[in-house]
Amino acid sequence: MNDVDRSIAPAEVGHLARTVLDAVGTVVVGKRDALELVLAGILAGGHVLLEDLPGLGKTLTARSFAQALGLDFRRLQFTPDLLPADVTGSFLYDQRNGDFTFRAGPVFTNLLLADEINRTPPKTQSALLEAMQEKQVSVEGVTYKLDEPFHVLATANPIEYEGTYPLPEAQLDRFLLRVSFGYPQHEEEWEVLRRRMSRRREEADIKPVVDAATLRAMQAALEDVVVEDSIGRYIVSLTAATREHPSVLVGASPRGSLALLLLARVRAVFGGRDYVVPEDVKSVAAPALAHRITLRPEMWLRRVDPAFVVGEVLEATPAPASGALPSYAAGGPRH
């Protein structure tokens, strides 16, 4: 059975997702909420930006998800001297054949870890744009398609951190959501040390829970999750409200509305439903919209955060009452 012939129900997606999260949770300690957001971004078919200080498990998270999802994985360390060809690949002269042959870059994989993406200049950052949006790369006028699934998990240090380049708004908008991990609790940090001593080696391996074909089937199953018109209009109202907020210079684009829609569908499946309710939208609003908002310059002096703006928008925008009928969540058919 090939990838397109395979189909699964939304209920099975929820079960498989929980199993994947449990597997990753054996390595990444105490970050269940953040891990759910990362997996939601992958299941929604998008790319995820992991922004936080070094040493908080961002790279480990990306590697663990690649193993649990059974995906081909490559890691690219972004540095100030990295060139666009180091990302996409380049043509090299083959002396035996007397011709130029294409050497594929690390972007040709299923899951690419773009590590510390904001440590490299914008020209190299932009080399990922076409790959992230079009699932292809163009080198010397030749276009190469990327195999599906293709996802980028990019890690970034906070912009105040020394030696960083701010990501352009156009590239930030390509990430479906942005996730921060934060420092672990005392007991969580001790658990990290305890597990390291227990396995007696640095590396932690995870057995695959699914494979690339199953992941694609899970992604396709999300198209069956019902979104009422009232929920869709609520999503549009939230995104539009970010453009009208007095603290905002540039609000979220329609791509932000699409991100809310896709992520809310995943949240519904996580909650055991094949229909979206307003709470699903609210739970992903900040990760999906905050990085798409540009604040007025004076707001930075007042320490106003884009996530705070999203919170105010959520409070000010009335949520609809969902009239969707329960299906597998209640054990009955959908009407």
Side-chain angles (χ1 to χ4, degrees):
M1 181 182 294
N2 59 38
D3 292 0
V4 268
D5 292 334
R6 183 166 189 169
S7 63
I8 60 178
E12 187 180 353
V13 176
H15 170 71
L16 290 173
R18 287 188 290 273
T19 308
V20 169
L21 289 168
D22 290 342
V24 175
T26 63
V27 175
V28 183
V29 179
K31 300 297 179 184
R32 183 77 175 201
D33 290 344
L35 294 180
E36 285 187 1
L37 287 171
V38 174
L39 182 57
I42 295 173
L43 289 177
H47 312 288
V48 182
L49 179 63
L50 308 175
E51 186 177 82
D52 223 323
L53 295 168
L56 297 182
K58 303 185 296 294
T59 303
L60 178 62
T61 295
R63 187 185 306 114
S64 299
F65 270 114
Q67 292 176 345
L69 295 170
L71 300 179
D72 182 39
F73 173 73
R74 300 189 73 175
R75 175 180 180 270
L76 179 60
Q77 180 68 49
F78 280 73
T79 57
D81 59 348
L82 198 72
L83 299 175
D86 297 325
V87 178
T88 60
S90 59
F91 282 93
L92 296 178
Y93 185 72
D94 189 336
Q95 293 184 337
R96 289 179 296 181
N97 298 328
D99 199 2
F100 286 91
T101 58
F102 180 66
R103 183 196 63 180
V107 75
F108 287 85
T109 187
N110 295 135
L111 186 64
L112 174 67
L113 171 59
D115 213 358
E116 296 188 306
I117 189 174
N118 60 342
R119 281 203 181 278
T120 201
K123 184 176 181 180
T124 304
Q125 293 173 0
S126 64
L128 272 180
L129 278 177
E130 183 183 11
M132 292 172 64
Q133 186 65 22
E134 306 295 337
K135 307 293 177 69
Q136 65 182 29
V137 296
S138 298
V139 181
E140 300 292 337
V142 182
T143 300
Y144 297 91
K145 289 285 186 182
L146 300 175
D147 291 335
E148 293 187 7
F150 171 71
H151 301 280
V152 174
L153 295 188
T155 71
N157 296 313
I159 57 175
E160 298 86 0
Y161 204 74
E162 186 176 355
T164 59
Y165 298 83
L167 290 174
E169 287 79 0
Q171 184 156 350
L172 276 175
D173 209 28
R174 294 304 195 278
F175 288 101
L176 196 67
L177 74 167
R178 180 176 62 183
V179 181
S180 296
F181 281 71
Y183 286 110
Q185 299 295 324
H186 183 88
E187 289 301 319
E188 293 171 351
E189 192 164 355
W190 160 240
E191 182 65 16
V192 171
L193 303 183
R194 191 193 65 78
R195 293 186 188 185
R196 169 61 181 85
M197 291 186 291
S198 177
R199 65 176 178 264
R200 303 177 67 86
R201 58 192 177 92
E202 187 63 32
E203 298 79 14
D205 295 324
I206 297 175
K207 292 183 179 180
V209 176
V210 298
D211 56 17
T214 304
L215 174 60
R216 291 181 61 183
M218 293 168 70
Q219 293 170 335
L222 292 171
E223 296 298 328
D224 294 327
V225 177
V226 177
V227 181
E228 289 182 305
D229 288 352
S230 61
I231 301 292
R233 292 183 180 277
Y234 176 56
I235 288 172
V236 171
S237 296
L238 284 174
T239 308
T242 66
R243 305 164 197 158
E244 301 165 1
H245 194 281
S247 300
V248 173
L249 183 64
V250 180
S253 71
R255 193 177 283 129
S257 296
L258 183 60
L260 279 180
L261 170 69
L262 298 175
L263 291 169
R265 279 177 158 177
V266 181
R267 275 298 194 184
V269 170
F270 284 178
R273 287 173 278 101
D274 60 358
Y275 59 91
V276 173
V277 297
E279 287 68 26
D280 297 323
V281 179
K282 293 177 182 180
S283 69
V284 296
L289 297 180
H291 66 290
R292 306 176 195 273
I293 294 174
T294 302
L295 297 177
R296 296 186 181 278
E298 61 269 23
M299 292 301 109
W300 292 106
L301 298 177
R302 300 178 188 175
R303 298 185 179 273
V304 174
D305 184 81
F308 176 77
V309 170
V310 175
E312 289 194 333
V313 165
L314 284 171
E315 289 183 7
T317 307
S322 176
L325 295 174
S327 56
Y328 71 80
R334 186 171 65 221
H335 300 286

